[in-house]
Amino acid sequence: MQIIIFGSPGVGKGTQAKILAAKLNIPHISTGDILREAIKNRTELGKKAKEIVDKGELVPDEIMGGIIKDTLNDIKCKNGFILDGYPRTTNQAEILENIFKTIKTEKHYLIKLDADDEIIIDRLTNRLVCNKCGNILNNTEVKENFSCPVCNSVNSYAKRADDEEDVIRRRLKVYHKTTAPVFNYYRDKAEIIEIDGSLPIDKVTEEILIRLC
Ligand code: AMP
């Protein structure tokens, strides 16, 4: 099954993609995670991307196209994948369509999650991420000697550099101007599933699974 999960930053794409990847037994490909890993390891890609990601801007399409091509051509993706954070421009969507022509593709799904910007700002300003396993946490649940419910690591969490309010607002602006219009590109190319991303996590998953089957 080939799935694109689409929506604004903080709408729950990563959370749902992780759950769906485990349930459907397909890899979760997050371009944001790929870039953060490259930045952490100070690779050539990381050096090029750091300043752009920290400012909440988009990494150029040629760079992202190369990453996505290499990733989707990997054997791990041969039985499907869930793509989170790509495409973010219409040009990226066209690059992806060309990749789909070269790999064996079935009908693909586009899951669109929506939530108001104020909900997103509230979520992201309170978001923490486990340093060890990437599990997403909320500021209010993290107390002294906090242990991650997924990997049990103690007191090992951080705020993403791009989760500061001014950068969140910048990312939302970029989303509305450049990424949201990409949805139109898929109207006649994918099976579209639209879900209210402000619902509780398990409810969103349930709704998605009903619509996928
Ligand atoms: P995310 O984790 O999906 O919120 O992505 C974090 C940041 O990585 C974004 O704000 C962008 O700076 C960069 N990024 C991730 N995916 C893409 C993409 N497809 N195109 C351009 N930049 C991206």
Side-chain angles (χ1 to χ4, degrees), residues 31-79:
T31 46
D33 284 352
I34 294 172
L35 292 171
R36 279 184 290 279
E37 192 61 22
I39 292 170
K40 193 169 96 190
N41 296 329
R42 297 196 170 85
T43 63
E44 278 311 306
L45 167 65
K47 285 180 204 156
K48 281 187 202 145
K50 184 174 177 356
E51 204 180 316
I52 304 171
V53 172
D54 284 353
K55 279 199 291 199
E57 305 281 351
L58 295 181
V59 173
D61 290 344
E62 314 79 72
I63 297 181
M64 296 313 299
I67 294 174
I68 216 68
K69 197 169 176 187
D70 290 348
T71 309
L72 297 188
N73 279 321
D74 191 290
I75 188 83
K76 280 194 299 229
C77 292
K78 90 174 176 8
N79 293 323

Side-chain angles (χ1 to χ4, degrees), residues 113-202:
L113 303 179
D114 282 304
D116 288 346
D117 283 3
E118 289 316 306
I119 295 179
I120 301 287
I121 291 166
D122 184 59
R123 275 189 193 170
L124 292 186
T125 46
N126 285 300
R127 177 166 77 174
L128 296 172
V129 183
C130 173
N131 286 329
K132 199 162 167 215
C133 71
N135 182 34
I136 293 164
L137 308 162
N138 186 286
N139 214 353
T140 53
E141 64 178 312
V142 174
K143 306 270 184 297
E144 215 181 314
N145 292 328
F146 175 80
S147 103
C148 171
V150 173
C151 71
N152 296 323
S153 62
V154 178
N155 282 341
S156 176
Y157 48 82
K159 195 177 169 80
R160 266 173 52 172
D162 58 352
D163 276 348
E164 296 301 335
E165 189 168 338
D166 55 332
V167 186
I168 296 167
R169 289 191 185 277
R170 178 76 204 132
R171 288 160 64 202
L172 282 168
K173 216 169 173 178
V174 170
Y175 172 76
H176 290 300
K177 181 163 180 260
T178 310
T179 305
V182 176
F183 180 61
N184 292 326
Y185 180 87
Y186 283 99
R187 284 189 191 277
D188 60 350
K189 290 193 176 60
E191 180 88 13
I192 291 175
I193 298 177
E194 288 186 80
I195 310 275
D196 178 357
S198 66
L199 294 170
I201 293 172
D202 53 350

Side-chain angles (χ1 to χ4, degrees), residues 73-104:
N73 279 321
D74 191 290
I75 188 83
K76 280 194 299 229
C77 292
K78 90 174 176 8
N79 293 323
F81 47 81
I82 177 154
L83 206 45
D84 155 20
Y86 190 100
R88 269 175 149 101
T89 66
T90 303
N91 187 29
Q92 289 185 10
E94 281 162 359
I95 292 170
L96 183 60
E97 235 9 70
N98 284 330
I99 298 171
F100 280 160
K101 281 182 195 146
T102 65
I103 58 176
K104 187 176 146 271

